Amino acid sequence: MAGKKSVDAAPRDSRGLLRLAASPALNWILLAYAAVVIGVAWAYTGSRIHGDYEQTLDEERTRLRGVNAALQAGTLAMLDDGVGEAVAGANELQSGGGLILADRAEIIATLGKQLAGGSYVRSLFLSDGVHFALTSRAGRFGGPVIPQWLTVSGTPLSSAAWVGSPIADPDHAGAMVIPIARRVAWGKDLTLWAGALISFDGFDELYRKSSDQITTMGLIASDGTILVRTPKAEMRDVPTGATVASSEVFRRAVAQGNEGIVEGYGPVAKKDMIYAYDLMNGYPIYIMDGQSRDDALLPWRKRRRMAVATTAAFSALVLGMTALLNHSQRALRRRDHHYRTLFNNAQFSVFLLEGDRFVDANLTATRMFGLQSDRDAIGLAPWDLSPEYQPDGQRSDELARTRVQTALREGGTSFEWLHRRLDNGVNFPAEVGLSSIIDGNTVLALAVVRDLTARKRAEHDLQLLSAELMRSQDEERRRIGRDLHDSTGQTLAALELGLAQLMHDTGSAALDRRALLEHCADLAMQCSTEIRTASYLLHPPLLDELGLLSALRWLADGFRQRSAIDVRLDLPETMERLPRDNELCLFRVAQEALTNVHRHAASPWVSIRLKSQSDTVTLEVEDVGRGMLRAGDSETPGSTPSMGVGLAGMRERIRQIGGTLSVESTSRGTRVRCTLYIEQPPQPVST
């Protein structure tokens, strides 16, 4: 029983999958699956977009740091060319004898020698807070009075450097310079400030080299004063020397440390910015460069649009495919409903086999085979609905496998089969049409079963009716023949006698009346002969009285006389009497065959052969005429006629008594052969 359950499991599982595929639940499953796929796609896209966003910002910060480092190196070189040379001059003056700043000529000469850097260094100066000396490239020399822009007096002692606000360049109208100085120890108690007026117009060139990477760059004093801003065109509303000390982004930068990245609303650029900043080594100056957040994220936004468009297209594709699948599923479900309706309403049983097991059946099959539902057929084999043996003695399972193999080999086959109901065990005949197909390793077959019980019963009833009709016909012929012989024949015989007596009595009457009487006597004699012959043909009394051999000899003699066709008899001298129906059947076959020879064969002779053996009796009627027409030929003048309804009736008569009838016809003649099988009486058992 465990094996049976395991065999049934696979068909039932596949049937369950098929029903799931045709169920409305699959539409919801497809929709849920599409929603999950689209959700996952958008979640993945969002994650990728966010990751790309963070990566883009990190790359931008790294790039700004790199640009800032390059800017710082260039700016420090400029400061060294200015402030550094001024410090070197102060150190030279101190080592030369400790001159005081009052010796202005010596100081100016020394500073003039140090003024050898780039043109961006406009002037070098020294100051002790009381005295002041300046040397310019244009030959201008500053006086002893400390200028207003030199505000070093308030610088804390801890500060090693000082930077002032931007001022107008004394030597170049319209240009700006920035005073920057470093503290220099002079003697034991005196402190000097050595510095330079530096123009940072060269930042424009640095900006042009880096404009593809940054939006702005500049220098900001540690107190928030804007020293240099590039490009100037974007900051016309911010005057030189303005301060950003109150801006949130500057305060956060100072709070974070001397270097780093700060992001926020730019007080000068008036937009969201990303700044990289670094406090210049040894100077209270921040070097900064920045990039607009929108510009920094522009490549990311392009990639985001592409990702969103791709995901939207994918989502549309998934939705379209889901809609198409749902439409196809609904159409398939409608077709399946129509198919199941036609399948179940069919007036014949239909089984679907996979291998040698049923995987589906219609409702007609459940009623025909006494099943409670169509599912009860799943997992059964064809021989489970059949008796163990078929009528020919073969086992049902072996014969069923042979039929399936035949269907596989030929594509289809049909045959009669004996089935059995499962509810009451009653057997019934059926016609089975089997068609099959091989799909890979799977063998599928469709079996259509039609119950032949009603047809077999009708055929049996028809055979009984036919036999009864023929029996009635024979009885009627016998009665008519007897009546003709006994009644009408006797009357005609009396008429003959009366006419003969009348001719004797008339004597020498007029010759014309005697001739008329003789003619009437001849007609009466002819009528009597024909009636006697007709009565014998309807039912020969010799057949009942003396048997088949005498009846055949009488039939041959009469046929020879009527047709002038030679009849060759090959009959046994004696034979045992056969059952009445058998003798009558053989006689009718011979009678019908001779009639066809007379009417159609155009043969000069005909032979009648009768052979009697222990279990069979064979009758043959053969001629050498022109034969019969084949099926599909048409009768034309001079052609050979086909088999008539007489032989068809004889075939049915012989079939009813268990015999066989065959007709062999060629252009050289026709042979009709009839064979009857004789049951032998049981032999007595010797003791």
Side-chain angles (χ1 to χ4, degrees):
M1 294 300 293
K4 179 65 166 60
K5 291 181 179 179
S6 64
V7 170
D8 293 350
R12 291 182 184 272
D13 291 344
S14 67
R15 177 74 178 275
L17 292 175
L18 290 175
R19 291 193 171 183
L20 176 61
S23 66
L26 185 59
N27 293 90
W28 293 105
I29 294 175
L30 290 174
L31 290 174
Y33 178 76
V36 170
V37 170
I38 293 175
V40 170
W42 281 106
Y44 175 76
T45 301
S47 175
R48 287 293 302 272
I49 290 174
H50 180 73
D52 187 29
Y53 173 83
E54 296 295 339
Q55 183 178 357
T56 301
L57 290 179
D58 288 342
E59 291 175 353
E60 186 62 29
R61 294 173 186 129
T62 301
R63 183 167 48 251
L64 289 175
R65 286 192 182 97
V67 174
N68 187 269
L71 293 175
Q72 184 175 12
T75 304
L76 284 175
M78 296 172 66
L79 293 176
D80 287 343
D81 286 347
V83 179
E85 292 298 328
V87 172
N91 291 333
E92 181 179 348
L93 290 172
Q94 185 174 202
S95 63
L99 296 177
I100 61 175
L101 291 180
D103 300 329
R104 297 182 60 254
E106 182 67 20
I107 294 173
I108 290 173
T110 301
L111 292 178
K113 291 187 299 182
Q114 297 299 124
L115 190 59
S119 61
Y120 45 82
V121 180
R122 306 296 194 204
S123 305
L124 299 180
F125 65 86
L126 289 176
S127 176
D128 60 358
V130 178
H131 304 87
F132 175 76
L134 179 142
T135 299
S136 168
R137 287 183 182 276
R140 183 177 55 82
F141 305 102
V145 180
I146 297 176
Q148 293 182 353
W149 50 263
L150 188 60
T151 58
V152 296
S153 59
T155 303
L157 296 177
S158 60
S159 298
W162 165 87
V163 61
S165 298
I167 62 174
D169 188 349
D171 297 331
H172 299 81
M176 302 294 291
V177 292
I178 299 174
I180 303 174
R182 291 189 64 84
R183 193 186 299 272
V184 179
W186 189 275
K188 293 182 178 180
D189 300 324
L190 185 60
T191 298
L192 296 180
W193 290 94
L197 297 179
I198 301 176
S199 172
F200 287 93
D201 289 341
F203 268 29
D204 291 339
E205 182 63 24
L206 292 176
Y207 175 77
R208 281 192 294 272
K209 294 179 180 179
S210 305
S211 60
D212 59 335
Q213 303 181 61
I214 59 176
T215 300
T216 184
M217 57 182 288
L219 298 175
I220 300 176
S222 60
D223 61 356
T225 302
I226 299 176
L227 304 177
V228 178
R229 57 186 185 273
T230 301
K232 299 181 178 64
E234 296 186 3
M235 298 177 285
R236 292 175 182 172
D237 56 338
V238 180
T240 302
T243 180
V244 294
S246 62
S247 69
E248 180 184 357
V249 66
F250 180 78
R251 290 198 304 268
R252 282 195 285 111
V254 172
Q256 287 178 187
N258 293 335
E259 61 177 334
I261 296 291
V262 64
E263 301 179 25
Y265 186 76
V268 176
K270 306 301 183 182
K271 63 179 69 174
D272 287 333
M273 299 290 294
I274 304 173
Y275 294 109
Y277 66 94
D278 196 354
L279 187 65
M280 303 279 292
N281 187 20
Y283 297 94
I285 300 173
Y286 289 101
I287 180 73
M288 54 76 60
D289 62 304
Q291 176 69 290
S292 168
R293 192 180 186 88
D294 290 339
D295 293 341
L297 293 176
L298 184 59
W300 169 79
R301 288 192 175 94
K302 292 180 179 178
R303 293 192 296 271
R304 181 184 64 178
R305 286 195 296 270
M306 181 63 67
V308 170
T310 302
T311 306
F314 173 76
S315 301
L317 178 62
V318 171
L319 289 175
M321 292 297 295
T322 303
L324 180 61
L325 288 174
N326 279 331
H327 176 73
S328 300
Q329 180 64 22
R330 286 192 295 269
L332 179 62
R333 192 161 55 248
R334 287 194 299 269
R335 290 179 179 273
D336 180 73
H337 174 71
H338 297 160
Y339 159 75
R340 296 303 303 183
T341 301
L342 294 174
F343 184 70
N344 288 319
N345 291 341
Q347 298 304 308
F348 45 82
S349 299
V350 181
F351 293 95
L352 181 63
L353 293 94
E354 183 176 342
D356 57 1
R357 297 287 171 177
F358 296 131
V359 295
D360 199 1
N362 65 351
L363 295 179
T364 305
T366 63
R367 296 190 294 268
M368 183 180 294
F369 289 90
L371 303 173
Q372 294 184 356
S373 69
D374 56 343
R375 295 186 178 183
D376 292 342
I378 299 175
L380 296 178
W383 48 88
D384 293 330
L385 301 177
S386 309
E388 184 176 1
Y389 293 95
Q390 289 297 305
D392 59 358
Q394 296 190 63
R395 289 182 58 87
S396 296
D397 52 353
E398 297 175 354
L399 186 57
R401 291 188 177 95
T402 302
R403 300 296 191 189
V404 172
Q405 292 300 321
T406 302
L408 288 176
R409 184 174 60 255
E410 300 178 358
T413 184
S414 60
F415 50 89
E416 289 193 6
W417 192 264
L418 187 63
H419 283 291
R420 171 175 293 176
R421 292 178 60 91
L422 292 184
D423 54 351
N424 54 21
V426 175
N427 296 339
F428 63 92
E431 181 184 15
V432 179
L434 192 62
S435 57
S436 61
I437 186 174
I438 299 178
D439 183 13
N441 296 326
T442 303
V443 178
L444 299 176
L446 182 70
V448 177
V449 182
R450 294 181 176 85
D451 190 352
L452 299 181
T453 301
R455 193 177 83 180
K456 292 290 185 180
R457 185 181 299 112
E459 289 178 353
H460 178 69
D461 294 344
L462 183 60
Q463 291 174 5
L464 293 179
L465 177 60
S466 177
E468 184 63 29
L469 287 176
M470 289 185 179
R471 189 175 299 107
S472 299
Q473 184 184 39
D474 291 337
E475 292 296 332
E476 185 65 17
R477 285 179 175 180
R478 183 181 293 109
R479 184 187 64 80
I480 294 174
R482 186 171 53 249
D483 289 346
L484 288 175
H485 183 272
D486 295 342
S487 178
T488 308
Q490 296 300 326
T491 302
L492 288 174
L495 178 60
E496 290 181 35
L497 293 175
L499 290 173
Q501 184 65 37
L502 182 60
M503 286 188 296
H504 181 269
D505 293 341
T506 55
S508 59
L511 293 178
D512 55 347
R513 279 189 275 177
R514 182 174 180 83
L516 179 60
L517 289 174
E518 289 178 354
H519 178 67
C520 291
D522 292 339
L523 290 177
M525 184 179 298
Q526 180 181 353
C527 182
S528 177
T529 301
E530 290 177 356
I531 289 176
R532 184 167 55 252
T533 301
S535 67
Y536 284 171
L537 290 176
L538 286 172
H539 188 81
L542 291 177
L543 186 63
D544 294 335
E545 298 173 0
L546 301 178
L548 180 62
L549 294 179
S550 299
L552 290 177
R553 292 189 182 97
W554 173 84
L555 179 64
D557 292 339
F559 180 78
R560 187 182 298 111
Q561 294 174 5
R562 291 190 306 274
S563 64
I565 297 175
D566 184 25
V567 180
R568 302 174 183 179
L569 290 177
D570 184 5
L571 306 177
E573 294 183 0
T574 59
M575 63 176 294
E576 295 183 1
R577 293 294 300 270
L578 300 177
R580 176 181 174 183
D581 290 342
N582 292 8
E583 289 187 341
L584 179 59
C585 180
L586 292 174
F587 179 81
R588 293 301 184 195
V589 169
Q591 187 179 32
E592 179 65 26
L594 292 177
T595 301
N596 287 334
V597 170
H598 184 211
R599 292 178 179 176
H600 311 299
S603 175
W605 59 266
V606 62
S607 67
I608 300 176
R609 290 185 291 271
L610 183 65
K611 296 180 181 179
S612 176
Q613 298 179 351
S614 60
D615 57 348
T616 60
V617 174
T618 303
L619 173 67
E620 289 185 358
V621 179
E622 183 178 7
D623 65 70
V624 290
R626 54 193 175 185
M628 296 181 176
L629 286 177
R630 273 49 170 188
D633 295 342
S634 60
E635 294 189 14
T636 59
S639 64
T640 306
S642 60
M643 181 186 300
V645 295
L647 283 179
M650 291 301 101
R651 190 186 300 276
E652 175 64 21
R653 183 190 293 272
I654 291 173
R655 189 185 63 81
Q656 291 178 0
I657 62 175
T660 60
L661 178 69
S662 64
V663 179
E664 302 174 4
S665 181
T666 66
S667 60
R668 295 187 297 271
T670 301
R671 177 187 296 169
V672 178
R673 177 181 296 169
C674 173
T675 302
L676 297 182
Y677 300 93
I678 302 174
E679 295 184 1
Q680 297 295 328
Q683 299 294 330
V685 180
S686 60
T687 58

